[in-house]
Amino acid sequence: MRPSMKRWMWHGVYAVVLLALGFGVYLATARVDYDWRWERIPQYLVGTEGEEIRAPFDGFVDVADDGKSIVLNELKGAGSERYAGFDRLLVGDGDLVFQNDVLARKSGLQAGPLAVGLWVTLEISALSLVFALVLGLVAGLGRVAQNPAARHLAATYVEIIRGTPLLVQIFIFYFFIGTVLSLSAFAAGVAALAVFTGAYVAEIVRAGIEAVPRGQMEAARSLGMNYAQAMRHVILPQAFKKILPPLAGQFINLIKDSSLVSVMALTDLTKAGREVVSSTFSPFEVWFTVAAMYLLLTGGLSWLVRRLEKGMAAGA
Amino acid sequence: MLEPLIHLRKVEKRYANGVRALHDVSLDVKRGEVLCIVGPSGSGKSTLLRALNGLESITGGEVVVDGFAVHDHRTNLNALRRRVGMVFQQFNLFPHKTALENVMLAPTTVLDVPAADARARAQALLDKVGLGDRGASYPAQLSGGQQQRVAIARALAMQPDVMLFDEPTSALDPEKVGEVLDVMRQLAREGMTMLVVTHEMGFARAVAHRVIFMDGGEIVYQDAPEGFFGAPRNERLKAFLGQILK
């Protein structure tokens, strides 16, 4: 057999195995009489309900004669608010409405709960990533510092965080630190993830710095640079190049770990998935969709990092 | 000559595990002097050189370089190191910077020299070591001999009073040794104070004003090259030279 044919044969084997797995899933669901209802999923990604206009306070509605605008007059007080440009009116003239009631809807598409959850997950991950990077860099520098206080503090931080489960840390951040500092669930979630990931980043940074040959620091110091200058101009740029792949892996973990913040009152992608399951009773479809959406985030991140690596390799 | 540029008195270096690296080393070096230090490996040559700019701390005695008391922990070693250039066996060029950037880095970061001035001066130094056309090359794109010449230019960019060479040609292919020694010979002619740890006896004989033989952390013998290589009155040195010049 020619080598190229052989290669194609193995690509074929790959496809056959994938198909077999897919068929296995189909058989398994057929066994439990599962009713696939994929058509229920899209509405949770993109809503067609239209954007809602909600009442900011209790009051009486005054609809204009042409029906194209309304005025809401405050019940207790003299405040009033005018609304126009909606497509569907949900209240009548003289209606008494309460705060947060829906007055009208604009037509058009809006993000469904899963898309909103994806956005929250992305927000939490991106913010935690930035803080984790700063925290990890500081702690990593502490790990390799001469100063015993810095070294021991950094080591203690890393040991405590790596020795306890993230879920427990999230509870501590939410119930203890969050309460003491009156943090929102979002802030507590970001803090927990940043502190957790920062410990791993610190170890990656330490390993990266230690992987730069000793002679580099000696050469920099022998030229009269102080420790900070040598770190900034000589050691860290070289270390960063070495740690980019493990750092990317850690940040992909961060995105996946962020699903644990759904235990707090925080509607991230995973929590949104749970909510959609309870209203559709289609757990298989929803969780497959949620998994695909996580894959979209992590895949996007690895693609970005690969491009960055290529760019840095080109810069010698 | 007035004050010696380098003054060592009874220098001791003992590691925590009890190994003695330097013992009772006293030495004066005048401005403009070229000193070669030879000896078997592990004899303390490199340690002595690294003690001069504080890369290695000493456990006893005094080291005064260019007016700085290196043994005193209150001394600002960064200020001293600006005046003392060092060239390493493994070159230790910064691999993420071009040859020109390697030479420019210390003047711009340490002395706040404006980039344009530093660039012009770096280019002049690369010209001087015969690499004026390789400024844009990264270290990995240069041969060992070229890298070591860039390293010399990098050290010279700080306009040092002393240059320390730690086995500068030991990591080079034999055919690349000459180009580095040529640059060093030219420096010596210009009156640079140089301390050179080396196995290049030909260079020591031709360029050095004084040659020092170290063994077991001590200075065993020192003399002008004629006497050193001619008829040394020391058995250990004779044995060493016999080995090396065989």
Side-chain angles (χ1 to χ4, degrees):
Chain A
M1 219 188 316
R2 281 180 324 184
S4 67
M5 289 237 330
K6 215 166 181 174
R7 263 171 57 100
W8 278 111
M9 188 186 81
W10 287 113
H11 284 297
V13 167
Y14 167 72
V16 167
V17 170
L18 277 193
L19 281 173
L21 279 174
F23 189 62
V25 170
Y26 168 77
L27 281 184
T29 53
R31 248 178 87 91
V32 295
D33 278 334
Y34 190 77
D35 215 358
W36 290 95
R37 293 177 191 273
W38 281 105
E39 71 279 0
R40 286 186 184 165
I41 300 302
Q43 57 175 316
Y44 294 101
L45 290 168
V46 181
T48 50
E49 293 273 84
E51 193 188 324
E52 294 167 339
I53 296 173
R54 286 171 183 271
F57 42 72
D58 302 347
F60 285 103
V61 176
D62 191 359
V63 181
D65 292 338
D66 60 359
K68 293 228 169 83
S69 70
I70 56 171
V71 174
L72 181 66
N73 296 303
E74 204 176 350
L75 189 61
K76 296 174 193 153
S80 72
E81 198 77 52
R82 187 173 172 278
Y83 301 95
F86 47 80
D87 296 286
R88 205 141 46 88
L89 189 57
L90 300 174
V91 288
D93 197 28
D95 281 2
L96 170 63
V97 298
F98 298 103
Q99 190 178 353
N100 255 344
D101 282 354
V102 180
L103 301 175
R105 284 182 189 280
K106 292 181 184 174
S107 70
L109 302 179
Q110 90 273 23
L114 287 181
V116 172
L118 181 75
W119 177 247
V120 172
T121 286
L122 190 63
E123 241 178 340
I124 290 179
S125 303
L127 268 175
S128 318
L129 187 149
V130 172
F131 287 120
L133 202 54
V134 173
L135 210 56
L137 186 62
V138 171
L141 284 171
R143 290 280 276 158
V144 298
Q146 298 282 324
N147 185 312
R151 221 173 45 228
H152 293 150
L153 275 174
T156 308
Y157 161 58
V158 170
E159 285 309 313
I160 289 179
I161 296 302
R162 294 206 308 177
T164 52
L166 174 57
L167 190 54
V168 173
Q169 291 170 23
I170 287 175
F171 282 134
I172 290 176
F173 265 89
Y174 185 48
F175 289 114
F176 176 64
I177 299 175
T179 309
V180 171
L181 301 176
S182 60
L183 296 178
S184 67
F186 184 83
V190 167
L193 284 172
V195 167
F196 176 78
T197 305
Y200 288 86
V201 171
E203 283 303 279
I204 293 172
V205 167
R206 180 184 62 81
I209 290 173
E210 283 173 354
V212 176
R214 268 174 60 93
Q216 291 291 311
M217 182 53 108
E218 290 186 346
R221 297 307 298 274
S222 78
L223 286 164
M225 290 188 212
N226 60 33
Y227 184 80
Q229 288 167 333
M231 268 292 166
R232 175 166 161 228
H233 295 289
V234 176
I235 306 297
L236 286 180
Q238 294 181 57
F240 184 68
K241 216 157 149 182
K242 290 178 202 283
I243 67 178
L244 198 56
L247 214 50
Q250 192 57 51
F251 288 144
I252 285 171
N253 280 343
L254 169 64
I255 292 178
K256 296 185 291 179
D257 291 340
S258 77
S259 64
L260 287 176
V261 302
S262 63
V263 298
M264 306 190 293
L266 203 55
T267 310
D268 74 326
L269 182 50
T270 301
K271 183 76 174 294
R274 269 211 308 259
E275 285 171 1
V276 172
V277 167
S278 60
S279 55
T280 57
F281 302 108
S282 302
F284 291 12
E285 295 88 333
V286 171
W287 290 123
F288 280 131
T289 307
V290 166
M293 288 167 85
Y294 274 111
L295 206 54
L296 199 71
L297 285 187
T298 55
L301 183 61
S302 12
W303 176 78
L304 259 176
V305 171
R306 264 203 306 280
R307 272 192 46 160
L308 197 60
E309 268 181 289
K310 268 203 194 122
M312 285 191 11
Chain B
M1 276 265 148
L2 335 135
E3 281 272 286
L5 191 61
I6 296 174
H7 170 74
L8 279 73
R9 200 176 62 81
K10 291 191 175 303
V11 171
E12 299 283 336
K13 167 81 186 180
R14 199 181 268 279
Y15 289 107
N17 59 12
V19 175
R20 200 174 66 182
L22 292 175
H23 175 59
D24 195 21
V25 175
S26 295
L27 180 69
D28 283 317
V29 183
K30 290 181 297 201
R31 195 176 284 276
E33 200 175 3
V34 176
L35 203 80
C36 282
I37 304 169
V38 303
S41 57
S43 61
K45 311 174 302 257
S46 292
T47 311
L48 174 65
L49 211 60
R50 293 157 61 86
L52 294 178
N53 67 353
L55 279 187
E56 203 85 59
S57 63
I58 60 170
T59 46
E62 286 178 8
V63 178
V64 181
V65 177
D66 214 0
F68 290 90
V70 184
H71 57 277
D72 189 338
H73 64 90
R74 286 167 302 186
T75 303
N76 179 358
L77 287 180
N78 295 329
L80 161 77
R81 288 172 182 150
R82 288 173 212 163
R83 324 252 4 109
V84 181
M86 191 163 202
V87 175
F88 299 85
Q89 181 178 351
Q90 298 296 343
F91 331 132
N92 294 348
L93 286 183
F94 307 135
H96 59 300
K97 294 191 176 291
T98 64
L100 196 72
E101 289 166 347
N102 262 277
V103 182
M104 285 172 62
L105 182 64
T108 48
T109 56
V110 178
L111 303 177
D112 290 324
V113 175
D117 297 359
R119 184 177 298 275
R121 179 151 175 73
Q123 186 57 50
L125 283 166
L126 287 180
D127 287 338
K128 180 185 170 118
V129 299
L131 293 170
D133 56 339
R134 302 306 303 269
S137 304
Y138 284 90
Q141 300 164 328
L142 299 172
S143 73
Q146 290 171 329
Q147 289 191 53
Q148 193 60 299
R149 285 187 280 154
V150 173
I152 294 174
R154 179 177 69 177
L156 290 174
M158 295 296 283
Q159 298 178 287
D161 293 328
V162 191
M163 284 286 284
L164 309 176
F165 293 86
D166 190 1
E167 304 202 24
T169 58
S170 299
L172 296 179
D173 293 336
E175 78 271 19
K176 306 287 186 192
V177 170
E179 62 191 57
V180 172
L181 292 182
D182 285 343
V183 170
M184 292 167 63
R185 204 169 279 135
Q186 190 195 339
L187 266 184
R189 269 202 301 274
E190 291 167 6
M192 176 64 77
T193 311
M194 294 165 60
L195 275 79
V196 185
V197 171
T198 186
H199 294 295
E200 295 294 327
M201 296 304 155
F203 176 82
R205 195 196 291 261
V207 180
H209 299 120
R210 190 158 38 125
V211 187
I212 284 178
F213 174 61
M214 287 188 75
D215 195 9
E218 295 176 81
I219 295 181
V220 176
Y221 192 82
Q222 54 177 310
D223 200 353
E226 305 80 54
F228 191 93
F229 294 105
R233 297 178 305 277
N234 183 288
E235 289 310 312
R236 276 200 274 176
L237 174 56
K238 267 187 203 163
F240 174 72
L241 289 178
Q243 286 282 324
I244 281 239
L245 300 174
K246 203 160 46 183

